[in-house]
Amino acid sequence: TDLTGLDIANASMLDEATAAAEAMTLCRNVVSGRETFFVSELCHPQTIEVVQTRAKPLGLRVIVGDHNTFDFGVAQVSNLQDGQGSKLKTCATFGVLLQYPATDGAILDYTDFATRAHDADALVIVAADILSLTLLKPPGEFGADVAVGSTQRFGVPLGFGGPHAAYMATRDAHKRHLPGRLVGVSHDAEGRPGFRLALQTREQHIRRDKATSNICTAQVLLAVMASMYAVYHGPRGLRGIAKRVHEFAAKLAEGLQQLGFNIAHDEFFDTIRVDLGEASWSADILQRAERIGYNLRPLGSHSIGIAVDETTTDADIETLMSLFRGTHVRDFSDDALDGSAFGIPESARRTSDFLTHPVFNTHHTETEMLRYLRRLESRDLSLTHSMIPLGSCTMKLNATAEMFPVSWPEFSKLHPFAPEAQTTGYRDMCEQLEHWLAEITGFAAVSLQPNAGSQGEYAGLLAIRQYHEANGEGHRKVCLIPQSAHGTNPASAVMAGFKVVPVATSKEGDIDVADLRAKADQHANDLAALMVTYPSTHGVFEPTIREICDVVHQHGGQVYMDGANMNAQVGLCRPGDFGADVCHLNLHKTFCIPHGGGGPGMGPIGVALHLLPFLPSHPKLQLAEANNPNGVGPVSAAPFGSASILTISWMYIRMMGAQGLTEATKAAILNANYIAKRLDGYYPVLYKGKRGLVAHECIVDLRQFKSAGVEVEDVAKRLMDYGFHAPTVSFPVAGTLMIEPTESESKAELDRFCDAMISIHGEIQQVVNGTADKQNNVLKNAPHTARQVTSDDWSRPYSRSEAAFPAPWLREAKFWPAVARIDNVYGDRNLVCSCPPMEMFE
């Protein structure tokens, strides 16, 4: 919010291109009834292509062109009438997208264009380089309604394309349309600030096909890295880095100009465009640059783009000068070039302050930074403390050996658009991983491009949509979705241009096959797909899964399988064998990429042979099938999505092998059934298979305690006092807990968790039988903080020991919650998404 000059921001979107596409839909939701979106031709090519991919199934028209000549009056819809019956003319453009600085480096003044857009009642999106905003006027100050971009420049490795946290900032009036995850500030039971996920927390599960977005995974870990870069450097350090970058760019531009080359733009930040006049010159310089270790960017056939960054040195400038001059010797004195011939125009310079909060102006030594990070770390309960039994999330161990390659320079420092000859090792790894995942799932091919599970859903549905269109059946737009499905499913279906028709679930938790047949018959001519989760979201293996797939195929539809629960299938069964046509895989679940507080994730899709031509394409992919004219276009900015974390899943599969993967699946199912059996006498297991067993997770029912005033949230909060993260609360059934232990937990840890749940059951019984007060009890007051327990004032009807040490193991290792019970209702009604003053935490 500080850097963009806007009111509210989400800082953990998937990448800049998808953030721009999300911004497009935000604008369309705000400015309804219009269908045209203008994109400046000076935007990054990958952003333009992802926006075009996203617009097509929504029926939106994308116009790419020169913002200086775009006429908002050209795309008109007429024949509208006002209240008096007279005809009106209304602009059909609901939004515009601009790049700042432009893709070729130019700093442009968009103020007048923004005014023209607003006069036409269209919203303005600006894709802005976050580092440049320390020197340049913020988008919010020259008329932007939305700003998007990548935070990769704040200390995050290139990683062959990711993961990189993107951001989206907007005005307060549009906050209810903001996609993804948003951290809000509420207060706890003591009135102290408490942070929580606000607005979009699982909102897709609530709004389903009316959701703002299908985003569930976020790039949280990368957002933390970028934010810590800002904390360490502070506003002065960031501005210093940006100035140094700009000065190197100006120095290079001045030197090249002295050599007789034409610099296309006098005003730039870090990127210069060199116009060479002859195509042969461009090709020759590009080839020679590559030979000496520099990748320059071709801008058409006659121009070259050169970008510098904080790692650029004088030696780099000397080498580039020598390259253009055609020599291999030093050509100039350091004092000869100062870059003064080029600069940032006065009108574009930032005059407003940013990052004034004390947190960005305090931790500027390594020891202070280390201590600050350690204080933050101490507030997080992670797998280093205890199991995290979140159902449908598969919080399994991420072994250290799997994580090593992420930081190797061979994987972390590669540009996503580097020449293919420089990326053969990376591509070999990706090809091997694709092959392994295809073999595991039983599909003909796998695309690694979707950089989240939600994006995998979307890409898979686009493949189905394109398949029907290629067969002359583009009218097939009905997508059947069980009522028990993940909330991302209906949101993804709508984004892919489908109409959602719900299918009932039986009292056993399975898909109601009779209702499925009835809906398939009813929509036979228009049936496009069924989205099914296997094992089901209710934690059981659907015994009729083959019949379900057959029904859909008999009516001309395709079967999309949500692979969120693949951890119960690997080595035992394959979606491609029992009838699925496409399936996405959550690599951050089944295949061991860490969740990182919500992300990064990866959501590759596997497809049957007939869907192979419809996998996501990308202009940088050299694969013939990936560039098939029937392809759906890119769904992510980089060809292989968040490529660097693919190394983790590669390592996991390579080290486990077929036998290890199968044993892991068996152990995950065994662990879930062990918990179900131990807890069933205290908390009834809601859904079981015909033999009384569950899959890899189970749902325990707490609704019977509601009459005594005990809510499922009380149990979730009380588990914190026992040192455990709560299972998934009230999904997919309200008033329940969904528990998934994974294969990573020992019997001792499973028993410790079950002992905690059984102990809490005893505390519930005290409320039920009146031994404990209905409102003032250990459950309603949980969690208990060290501040509360050590306070001189303790007036509660139970002891401090009962509050903080209800189990014997807590005397050996106690995790203290940082805040007491947070007021969620207050947080929703009083949405604050900026850091409160530090003194509020004292």
Side-chain angles (χ1 to χ4, degrees):
T1 57
D2 274 22
L3 289 166
T4 61
L6 290 163
D7 304 320
I8 191 168
N10 173 335
S12 54
M13 305 289 283
L14 301 176
D15 61 31
E16 181 170 323
T18 56
E22 294 284 350
M24 174 181 67
T25 56
L26 179 151
C27 293
R28 190 204 184 194
N29 290 334
V30 173
V31 185
S32 59
R34 301 183 182 187
E35 75 287 340
T36 300
F37 185 67
F38 173 77
V39 180
S40 169
E41 61 191 5
L42 297 178
C43 289
H44 294 322
Q46 66 271 24
T47 300
I48 295 173
E49 297 213 14
V50 171
V51 167
Q52 290 172 327
T53 297
R54 190 73 67 88
K56 182 180 177 181
L58 297 176
L60 303 179
R61 178 173 56 166
V62 175
I63 298 176
V64 181
D66 184 348
H67 73 279
N68 290 309
T69 59
F70 179 69
D71 185 355
F72 286 89
V74 170
Q76 299 278 347
V77 290
S78 56
N79 299 324
L80 298 178
Q81 294 186 336
D82 63 15
Q84 286 70 43
S86 58
K87 289 186 177 181
L88 303 173
K89 267 195 169 183
T90 304
C91 175
T93 304
F94 62 85
V96 301
L97 174 64
L98 308 168
Q99 193 82 44
Y100 182 67
T103 190
D104 64 358
I107 297 174
L108 303 174
D109 187 351
Y110 293 119
T111 306
D112 290 343
F113 180 76
T115 300
R116 288 199 291 124
H118 291 152
D119 288 343
D121 294 324
L123 298 183
V124 177
I125 306 166
V126 174
D129 178 340
I130 194 172
L131 183 63
S132 76
L133 297 183
T134 63
L135 300 181
L136 301 184
K137 182 184 293 185
E141 292 182 11
F142 61 73
D145 301 288
V146 186
V148 297
S150 172
T151 64
Q152 184 269 325
R153 297 204 70 164
F154 277 22
V156 179
L158 278 169
F160 203 37
H164 306 142
Y167 70 86
M168 180 190 294
T170 189
R171 301 197 181 279
D172 185 73
H174 310 319
K175 63 188 176 188
R176 299 287 165 176
H177 298 285
L178 197 64
R181 298 180 177 211
L182 198 66
V183 177
V185 184
S186 183
H187 60 239
D188 70 2
E190 297 183 304
R192 303 178 75 240
F195 297 106
R196 58 189 286 272
L197 291 183
L199 284 187
Q200 281 70 34
T201 307
R202 301 183 75 86
E203 70 99 47
Q204 68 270 20
H205 290 289
I206 299 168
R207 299 188 64 195
R208 298 178 70 80
D209 55 322
K210 300 296 191 298
T212 299
S213 169
N214 72 341
I215 288 180
C216 184
T217 304
Q219 306 282 39
V220 180
L221 177 61
L222 294 310
V224 170
M225 292 171 66
S227 68
M228 291 304 106
Y229 186 83
V231 167
Y232 180 69
H233 291 290
R236 176 187 287 183
L238 291 174
R239 191 182 288 271
I241 291 169
K243 284 183 177 179
R244 181 179 182 276
V245 169
H246 171 68
E247 286 166 1
F248 268 117
K251 195 173 181 179
L252 176 61
E254 185 176 341
L256 293 178
Q257 191 176 62
Q258 288 181 11
L259 291 177
F261 293 97
N262 180 46
I263 306 302
H265 307 292
D266 292 337
E267 298 164 350
F268 49 79
F269 168 58
D270 67 346
T271 301
I272 62 173
R273 176 176 184 144
V274 186
D275 290 339
L276 300 174
E278 295 183 23
S280 58
W281 280 37
S282 297
D284 181 57
I285 288 177
L286 289 170
Q287 290 171 6
R288 286 193 286 122
E290 187 177 340
R291 283 198 296 270
I292 61 173
Y294 290 80
N295 291 327
L296 308 184
R297 178 186 173 190
L299 291 170
S301 59
H302 302 282
S303 299
I304 287 177
I306 307 175
V308 302
D309 61 21
E310 65 269 37
T311 69
T312 301
T313 64
D314 284 317
D316 291 319
I317 301 300
E318 290 182 20
T319 303
L320 288 168
M321 288 287 293
S322 298
L323 171 72
F324 275 83
R325 188 161 186 168
T327 65
H328 299 284
V329 297
R330 183 185 175 113
D331 302 306
F332 64 98
S333 165
D334 286 340
D335 298 330
L337 301 176
D338 60 11
S340 59
F342 299 91
I344 296 173
E346 192 70 34
S347 60
R349 291 181 184 176
R350 182 176 195 127
T351 58
S352 54
D353 291 332
F354 61 94
L355 304 186
T356 57
H357 192 280
V359 76
F360 298 109
N361 295 276
T362 305
H363 313 288
H364 300 325
T365 69
E366 188 169 346
T367 42
E368 284 300 319
M369 189 68 186
L370 177 68
R371 291 164 185 159
Y372 175 61
L373 288 170
R374 185 64 186 87
R375 285 197 297 274
L376 294 181
E377 181 192 350
S378 70
R379 298 177 186 177
D380 285 348
L381 187 146
S382 71
L383 282 172
T384 62
H385 298 91
S386 59
M387 68 182 286
I388 298 182
L390 281 166
S392 195
C393 279
T394 317
M395 301 292 292
K396 62 204 287 182
L397 174 68
N398 314 118
T400 303
E402 297 157 14
M403 302 294 293
F404 280 141
V406 175
S407 60
W408 293 350
E410 293 86 350
F411 290 110
S412 65
K413 293 187 176 182
L414 215 59
H415 193 283
F417 302 152
E420 188 175 359
Q422 299 175 15
T423 64
T424 52
Y426 231 128
R427 289 169 183 266
D428 284 350
M429 182 199 71
C430 291
E431 185 177 343
Q432 288 182 12
L433 184 58
E434 289 172 353
H435 174 74
W436 292 343
L437 294 176
E439 185 176 352
I440 288 169
T441 56
F443 288 112
V446 168
S447 168
L448 299 175
Q449 190 177 132
N451 54 358
S454 58
Q455 301 304 100
E457 290 180 18
Y458 177 66
L461 290 172
L462 286 187
I464 291 173
R465 174 191 169 97
Q466 200 74 8
Y467 168 76
H468 287 308
E469 289 188 359
N471 290 337
E473 295 188 303
H475 60 277
R476 290 187 175 272
K477 295 291 173 61
V478 169
C479 185
L480 303 179
I481 300 181
Q483 292 175 336
S484 62
H486 290 133
T488 53
N489 287 181
S492 296
V494 170
M495 287 174 56
F498 292 122
K499 175 187 176 183
V500 174
V501 174
V503 177
T505 53
S506 68
K507 61 181 180 180
E508 290 81 21
D510 300 333
I511 291 177
D512 186 329
V513 178
D515 189 56
L516 172 67
R517 287 187 178 276
K519 296 289 174 58
D521 286 338
Q522 179 184 351
H523 301 284
N525 292 330
D526 299 316
L527 180 60
L530 165 76
M531 298 188 78
V532 61
T533 301
Y534 184 81
S536 75
T537 310
H538 289 150
V540 294
F541 286 99
E542 300 266 5
T544 57
I545 186 64
R546 289 183 183 273
E547 180 183 356
I548 288 168
C549 294
D550 288 342
V551 169
V552 176
H553 290 149
Q554 288 164 9
H555 291 81
Q558 297 284 290
V559 176
Y560 174 92
M561 178 167 290
D562 186 313
N565 296 340
M566 194 68 197
N567 208 47
Q569 294 189 60
V570 176
L572 301 182
C573 58
R574 306 194 304 175
D577 292 341
F578 51 70
D581 300 290
V582 58
C583 174
H584 91 265
L585 303 170
N586 296 103
L587 298 190
H588 48 292
K589 295 183 181 182
T590 307
F591 297 98
C592 273
I593 292 174
H595 276 67
M602 280 289 276
I605 55 170
V607 296
L609 185 61
H610 63 281
L611 293 179
L612 177 60
F614 310 106
L615 286 173
S617 62
H618 196 286
K620 295 298 180 181
L621 281 175
Q622 301 301 315
L623 307 175
E625 60 268 29
N627 287 308
N628 189 296
N630 291 319
V632 299
V635 296
S636 301
F640 296 98
S642 295
S644 67
I645 56 174
L646 294 174
T647 57
I648 302 170
S649 296
W650 189 97
M651 292 286 287
Y652 172 68
I653 297 173
R654 182 68 182 86
M655 290 191 292
M656 292 287 281
Q659 183 179 349
L661 291 172
T662 304
E663 288 302 310
T665 305
K666 292 178 179 179
I669 296 172
L670 177 64
N671 285 354
N673 279 279
Y674 180 73
I675 287 180
K677 293 293 184 184
R678 275 211 66 188
L679 295 184
D680 200 23
Y682 303 90
Y683 308 94
V685 175
L686 194 57
Y687 299 111
K688 301 175 184 177
K690 294 187 182 299
R691 299 182 182 179
L693 299 174
V694 299
H696 64 307
E697 59 191 7
C698 61
I699 298 176
V700 298
D701 196 350
L702 280 74
R703 291 173 294 183
Q704 68 270 28
F705 306 124
K706 192 176 179 68
S707 59
V710 177
E711 303 285 348
V712 65
E713 184 183 14
D714 300 327
V715 175
K717 300 299 184 184
R718 181 58 171 159
L719 273 169
M720 294 171 68
D721 289 329
Y722 284 81
F724 286 102
H725 194 294
T728 299
V729 175
S730 291
F731 175 78
V733 180
T736 66
L737 293 175
M738 182 160 60
I739 305 168
E740 182 179 356
T742 81
E743 73 276 13
S744 300
E745 302 303 337
S746 65
K747 182 175 178 295
E749 182 69 358
L750 300 181
D751 282 331
R752 199 167 69 91
F753 173 76
C754 290
D755 290 345
M757 288 292 292
I758 293 168
S759 177
I760 291 173
H761 182 270
E763 295 169 349
I764 295 173
Q765 291 304 311
Q766 293 179 2
V767 177
V768 172
N769 62 32
T771 305
D773 184 83
K774 197 170 184 178
Q775 293 300 322
N776 192 7
N777 58 64
V778 290
L779 294 158
K780 289 294 182 184
N781 292 330
H784 298 84
T785 65
R787 184 187 182 96
Q788 291 174 327
V789 174
T790 58
S791 170
D792 292 335
D793 179 22
W794 183 265
S795 57
R796 299 181 181 184
Y798 50 89
S799 69
R800 299 173 195 262
S801 179
E802 288 177 285
F805 300 100
W809 63 78
L810 296 166
R811 295 288 180 179
E812 296 295 324
K814 170 69 177 176
F815 177 85
W816 289 101
V819 292
R821 182 79 66 97
I822 291 179
D823 190 333
N824 291 330
V825 174
Y826 177 88
D828 283 337
R829 292 178 177 173
N830 302 274
L831 184 64
V832 176
C833 296
S834 57
C835 295
M838 296 291 281
E839 57 266 21
M840 292 182 68
F841 292 96
E842 299 303 323

